[in-house]
Amino acid sequence: MKDVLLITPPFTQLNTPYPATAYLKGFLNTKHISCFQSDLGIEVILELFSKQELEHIFTFALDNKTIISKNCERIFALKESYISTISLVIAFLQGNNPTFARQICTQGFLPEASRFQQLDDLDWAFGEMGLQDKAKHLATLYLEDLSDFIVECVDANFGFSRYAERLGRSANSFDELYAFLQDDVTYIDQITLRLLENTIQQVQPKLIGFSVPFPGNLYSAFRCAQYLKEQHPAIKIMMGGGFPNTELRSLTDQRVFEFFDYISLDDGELPVELLVNSLQNENLSEPQFKRTYVLENGNIVFKNNATQPDYKQSEVGTPDYSDLLLDAYISVIEIANPMHSLWSDGRWNKLTMAHGCYWGKCTFCDISLDYIKIYEPIAATILVDRMEELIAQTGENGFHFVDEAAPPSLMKALAIEIIKRKVVVTWWTNIRFEKNFTADLCYLLKASGCIAVSGGLEVASDRLLKLIDKGVTVSQVAQVTRNFTDAHIMVHSYLMYGYPTQTVQETVDSLEMVRQLFEVGVLQSGFWHQFALTAHSPIGINPSEYGIVPDLKEITFANNDIDFKDTTGIDHSKFSFGLKKSLFNYMHGIGFETPLQNWFDFKIPKTQIKSNFIAACLNVEMDYKIKPTAKVIWLGSLPRQEMYTKSKKGQTWEVLKLTFHHHRNSTQITLDKEKGEWLVENLALWRLNKEKPVFIKDVKIDFEVKFEDFELFWFSKSINTLKSIGLVTV
């Protein structure tokens, strides 16, 4: 018997657990509260895409006469091939039997339906990614074909990363979702509830907490809660997570509490702890609650009577991934793009460098809510402690830091700590493209294992970036993405269109900026999304200041996304296909010569951006000065030294040739003997195996005790050569 069962309802990701329950379990461990966690999403997927269930699916479709389209007729006709291969394909995508990739890539081995029609030249698309990735892509298309069959013939609400999402999106009223819950359970529901019952019998919890991060998890959470109320009425049920945190802050519909006993908002650690304490001590005269909705005497009451503050991030413990089926997650590759595969391929341990956002100004963002507003960084030493714990626990050394925007100073400290401890990891995170990401810092991040970053360029227009209060310019973004790219760190950019007051000309010019960024090679991946108005953003709070008119409705259930009219009168949605089609081509390194007009089936104005705008930005030095307190770090090995004599016009002097061996080749520099000996002596001091950091101001003072003009030496050809192989100032 456990105190708490934490559940992520179907569906989120196929390749890795959503981290919320692992975060909470890690915290509950520190309070000696027994806990079990379950990702119902991956459990349902594995059951659904099994040989036995696939046989049931085909029989169900035939019996109910739901096979209508030619595509589904084809899939049904090939059902024996699907049934005989499904277990092998799933096992391969779980990382087992890698030699099966050769069979998958054999033309005609897997049954093919409509998803395979998008294939043109796999050798071109996957030439750089290799046989395993090509096989994963083909296996992904195979699963997507089966998904199409399930959606058309068995359960229209199914999706690999969401279920019945429409019922949770912009659901100002609970009516539609409530009505759907009165219907018979769906095919997917039956599998979900069967697996849920198995877990209940195994764990026998006193409290079940559903973590609902997205609208696509909401319906399943309610369906599971409904089942629990009917079959296990003694178990208390709560809901928390990203969806209630952003959507349910104006909840007034009492019917919600036919399903849930408690709904908590924002950070979940203290609300869960207090709730467990109150359930264990039923004689408390006044139970303590933190940001929790309850139903009292038929009325919804928001309880926040606990005086105890939320826990500091240093106090919440290390995420605990035990109980989850870590070896069973499925790695898929939907498109041939290395950066996109990070989201869907491979299992990542997820951590957070800092709670909230250090910038906290973007006008489209929910900066009024605690998950953004309350900024609290975690010390780099604690972060690396947690990384080492997770490596020991999971056997995985890949980390995705899921920050809103990781602060450069903390990323620097993290990188230094990783290198000092000689921990070999692979990691990536979300950032702002700000000027503190110098070439030296990017080199340091790469040396620590950083392979990729994602950040918002958003509208790619300086006027609109200023209106967003992004704190960056297009020129700055170009320079920063160049620094990351030069350090061999992949860069993904979130792109936005339809921002309030955005003109057609600005949309076209944004596309031209993006085209140039890909053409010069400083962006490797991107994604366009249309601006969405949210209730808790500065624009949502003060819409008239941004030239929009919100369509406000009565709120009894969810309140986040708001429909609105843009006073410009522009239909921004018509740009969606052209923007995404052009970007798909740019990500594959083609289409740069195609006129922008060709991506659209309606007339657009010519761009007003010069064709060399981004290239010109890259020729301008970044406005960044090295601070006297910047650390000097040598990441390379110590050199082999050779002394010899040079002569010119009757004068002779001794010089020192230094040979540096690094991973790919070796580099040589030559210095006067005295300066060479000074450099060798100091390189040893600048390595990260020393306790005390060395600052550039101290290096300058020490140099000028013996020599003159430190700047001339520091920016000489020889030292610049070292900067390309491991000498950084950060």
Side-chain angles (χ1 to χ4, degrees):
M1 179 178 287
K2 298 287 186 180
D3 295 319
V4 181
L5 169 60
L6 298 173
I7 295 175
T8 305
F11 295 106
T12 47
Q13 288 178 268
L14 294 175
N15 64 308
T16 197
Y18 193 78
T21 61
Y23 277 44
L24 273 176
K25 178 164 182 170
F27 165 75
L28 293 175
N29 290 343
T30 69
K31 299 299 175 182
H32 307 292
I33 295 172
S34 61
C35 173
F36 189 91
Q37 62 183 326
S38 166
D39 180 355
L40 264 181
I42 193 62
E43 293 177 31
V44 171
I45 289 292
L46 295 176
E47 184 79 6
L48 187 64
F49 291 94
S50 65
K51 181 178 180 180
Q52 181 180 6
E53 200 61 47
L54 214 52
E55 290 174 342
H56 291 164
I57 285 171
F58 287 125
T59 301
F60 178 93
L62 181 64
D63 291 346
N64 287 275
K65 299 179 180 179
T66 55
I67 304 169
I68 305 300
S69 70
K70 291 188 179 300
N71 185 54
C72 287
E73 286 179 356
R74 173 175 172 77
I75 293 172
F76 184 80
L78 295 168
K79 64 181 185 297
E80 296 301 329
S81 295
Y82 284 106
I83 291 169
S84 65
T85 55
I86 186 64
S87 297
L88 290 168
V89 169
I90 292 294
F92 170 73
L93 292 174
Q94 290 172 327
N96 303 315
N97 194 15
T99 56
F100 190 51
R102 296 185 179 276
Q103 185 75 300
I104 291 174
C105 292
T106 302
Q107 189 172 8
F109 174 73
L110 291 179
E112 300 179 8
S114 63
R115 295 291 181 139
F116 284 78
Q117 293 173 5
Q118 63 189 269
L119 292 178
D120 291 320
D121 188 344
L122 276 181
D123 291 331
W124 165 75
F126 286 94
E128 295 182 1
M129 297 179 75
L131 182 72
Q132 292 292 320
D133 285 343
K134 179 180 176 181
K136 284 182 182 178
H137 181 58
L138 291 171
T140 301
L141 297 177
Y142 163 98
L143 289 182
E144 288 177 336
D145 276 336
L146 285 173
S147 172
D148 291 342
F149 186 89
I150 292 169
V151 170
E152 180 178 324
C153 304
V154 179
D155 193 332
N157 292 300
F158 176 72
F160 279 116
S161 60
R162 60 191 63 84
Y163 187 74
E165 184 181 44
R166 64 179 181 81
L167 295 172
R169 188 171 292 283
S170 302
N172 301 139
S173 167
F174 189 47
D175 289 348
E176 185 180 8
L177 177 54
Y178 187 78
F180 201 83
L181 289 162
Q182 308 314 306
D183 291 342
D184 293 338
V185 294
T186 66
Y187 191 100
I188 303 295
D189 287 341
Q190 294 176 42
I191 298 174
T192 303
L193 298 178
R194 184 169 71 243
L195 293 170
L196 174 63
E197 180 61 34
N198 292 342
T199 303
I200 297 297
Q201 295 302 323
Q202 173 190 351
V203 179
Q204 298 182 11
K206 302 170 187 174
L207 170 69
I208 296 181
F210 287 92
S211 178
V212 181
F214 308 115
N217 305 94
L218 185 69
Y219 164 78
S220 290
F222 271 89
R223 183 62 90 182
C224 288
Q226 181 186 53
Y227 172 84
L228 291 168
K229 286 296 182 186
E230 293 170 354
Q231 302 297 322
H232 302 278
I235 299 175
K236 296 297 182 182
I237 311 170
M238 75 179 301
M239 173 176 30
F243 184 87
N245 292 350
T246 55
E247 305 261 2
L248 300 186
R249 307 185 82 90
S250 304
L251 179 63
T252 61
D253 196 319
Q254 295 96 331
R255 293 175 297 174
V256 171
F257 289 89
E258 295 175 19
F259 305 85
F260 294 95
D261 299 295
Y262 312 96
I263 297 176
S264 70
L265 302 182
D266 302 324
D267 292 354
E269 290 85 2
L270 186 55
V272 173
E273 181 192 14
L274 292 173
L275 187 52
V276 170
N277 290 341
S278 71
L279 294 176
Q280 291 176 341
N281 300 278
E282 296 179 356
N283 296 326
L284 288 174
S285 58
E286 186 179 1
Q288 299 288 294
F289 293 96
K290 195 76 172 181
R291 297 183 303 273
T292 302
Y293 284 112
V294 298
L295 191 68
E296 288 187 349
N297 301 318
N299 297 313
I300 295 177
V301 180
F302 185 66
K303 293 274 193 174
N304 196 26
N305 59 338
T307 57
Q308 182 179 346
D310 283 301
Y311 288 95
K312 297 292 185 184
Q313 293 301 299
S314 59
E315 301 170 335
V316 298
T318 301
D320 183 349
Y321 285 89
S322 62
D323 310 324
L324 298 173
L325 308 177
L326 296 183
D327 295 333
Y329 284 85
I330 300 169
S331 292
V332 297
I333 296 180
E334 297 173 64
I335 67 169
N337 177 272
M339 186 74 198
H340 270 243
S341 70
L342 289 178
W343 277 276
S344 59
D345 182 21
R347 205 194 64 71
W348 300 94
N349 295 318
K350 298 196 177 186
L351 283 173
T352 308
M353 292 189 212
H355 182 289
C357 179
Y358 74 98
W359 180 249
K361 297 180 182 179
C362 297
T363 54
F364 60 79
C365 190
D366 293 337
I367 61 175
S368 66
L369 299 183
D370 285 357
Y371 83 96
I372 300 285
K373 181 174 63 177
I374 298 177
Y375 173 66
E376 183 192 343
I378 305 171
T381 52
I382 294 176
L383 285 171
V384 182
D385 286 345
R386 292 176 179 175
M387 293 173 80
E388 291 184 314
E389 286 182 51
L390 284 172
I391 291 170
Q393 180 193 126
T394 68
E396 299 279 356
N397 70 342
F399 291 86
H400 178 196
F401 289 94
V402 293
D403 294 62
E404 299 299 323
S409 58
L410 184 50
M411 290 174 68
K412 175 176 71 175
L414 175 69
I416 289 172
E417 189 66 22
I418 289 171
I419 295 169
K420 282 175 68 174
R421 297 197 199 183
K422 296 182 171 61
V423 182
V424 179
V425 293
T426 301
W427 63 275
W428 58 293
T429 191
N430 310 310
I431 64 163
R432 281 179 65 244
F433 294 122
E434 62 158 87
K435 64 181 181 182
N436 287 319
F437 287 111
T438 62
D440 281 18
L441 177 54
C442 292
Y443 192 105
L444 177 72
L445 298 176
K446 177 64 176 178
S448 73
C450 180
I451 59 164
V453 293
S454 56
L457 172 55
E458 318 303 355
V459 288
S461 157
D462 284 343
R463 181 188 78 83
L464 293 172
L465 284 169
K466 187 174 181 180
L467 192 61
I468 289 174
D469 203 1
K470 192 72 180 178
V472 301
T473 63
V474 175
S475 176
Q476 183 177 309
V477 170
Q479 293 169 331
V480 168
T481 54
R482 185 261 313 275
N483 291 342
F484 278 111
T485 301
D486 286 350
H488 305 290
I489 295 174
M490 291 190 294
V491 184
H492 173 87
S493 182
Y494 301 109
L495 304 164
M496 182 189 297
Y497 62 100
Y499 188 83
T501 75
Q502 184 170 9
T503 64
V504 170
Q505 184 66 61
E506 285 173 323
T507 301
V508 173
D509 290 347
S510 292
L511 176 57
E512 173 61 15
M513 294 284 201
V514 170
R515 185 196 69 80
Q516 291 186 32
L517 287 164
F518 276 95
E519 186 176 34
V520 300
V522 297
L523 268 188
Q524 291 77 52
S525 177
F527 183 79
W528 285 104
H529 66 275
Q530 188 169 350
F531 167 79
L533 177 63
T534 59
H536 311 293
S537 66
I539 305 178
I541 295 170
N542 300 296
S544 61
E545 295 181 12
Y546 297 87
I548 60 173
V549 179
D551 180 13
L552 299 176
K553 298 180 175 66
E554 180 185 2
I555 306 297
T556 58
F557 185 55
N559 180 30
N560 192 36
D561 289 357
I562 302 174
D563 293 333
F564 68 95
K565 292 182 179 179
D566 191 330
T567 54
T568 64
I570 299 169
D571 177 13
H572 294 286
S573 62
K574 67 181 182 180
F575 288 93
S576 176
F577 181 79
L579 290 172
K580 292 176 181 178
K581 182 179 180 181
S582 59
L583 183 63
F584 182 83
N585 281 268
Y586 300 158
M587 286 194 295
H588 287 85
I590 59 175
F592 298 123
E593 304 303 321
T594 302
L596 300 187
Q597 176 64 70
N598 289 16
W599 303 117
F600 302 92
D601 58 5
F602 55 90
K603 185 69 175 176
I604 62 169
K606 290 185 177 180
T607 180
Q608 295 180 353
I609 305 299
K610 293 182 178 179
S611 60
N612 66 340
F613 178 86
I614 296 298
C617 292
L618 298 178
N619 288 327
V620 178
E621 289 293 324
M622 282 185 68
D623 180 22
Y624 181 85
K625 294 181 180 179
I626 298 175
K627 297 177 181 178
T629 53
K631 296 181 180 71
V632 178
I633 299 171
W634 172 241
L635 298 168
S637 59
L638 295 179
R640 183 169 62 86
Q641 305 174 49
E642 292 180 69
M643 191 86 69
Y644 64 94
T645 302
K646 291 186 73 172
S647 61
K648 186 176 182 180
K649 296 181 179 180
Q651 292 185 338
T652 61
W653 66 96
E654 291 182 308
V655 296
L656 195 61
K657 183 168 74 172
L658 304 177
T659 302
F660 297 85
H661 291 282
H662 35 95
H663 285 183
R664 299 191 65 183
N665 47 42
S666 58
T667 300
Q668 293 181 342
I669 65 170
T670 302
L671 294 167
D672 291 344
K673 176 176 176 289
E674 292 79 8
K675 290 181 180 177
E677 290 173 340
W678 177 90
L679 178 63
V680 172
E681 179 183 342
N682 278 273
L683 285 174
L685 299 176
W686 300 340
R687 301 182 81 183
L688 284 173
N689 55 7
K690 303 299 179 183
E691 286 299 318
K692 292 185 177 180
V694 178
F695 302 111
I696 188 69
K697 64 176 183 178
D698 298 321
V699 174
K700 174 181 168 68
I701 291 170
D702 185 69
F703 180 88
E704 292 183 345
V705 169
K706 299 179 180 179
F707 312 105
E708 296 179 353
D709 204 338
F710 172 73
E711 283 74 17
L712 185 64
F713 172 76
W714 196 248
F715 295 101
S716 66
K717 181 178 179 181
S718 294
I719 300 303
N720 283 336
T721 299
L722 293 189
K723 291 175 183 176
S724 69
I725 60 170
L727 179 60
V728 297
T729 307
V730 292

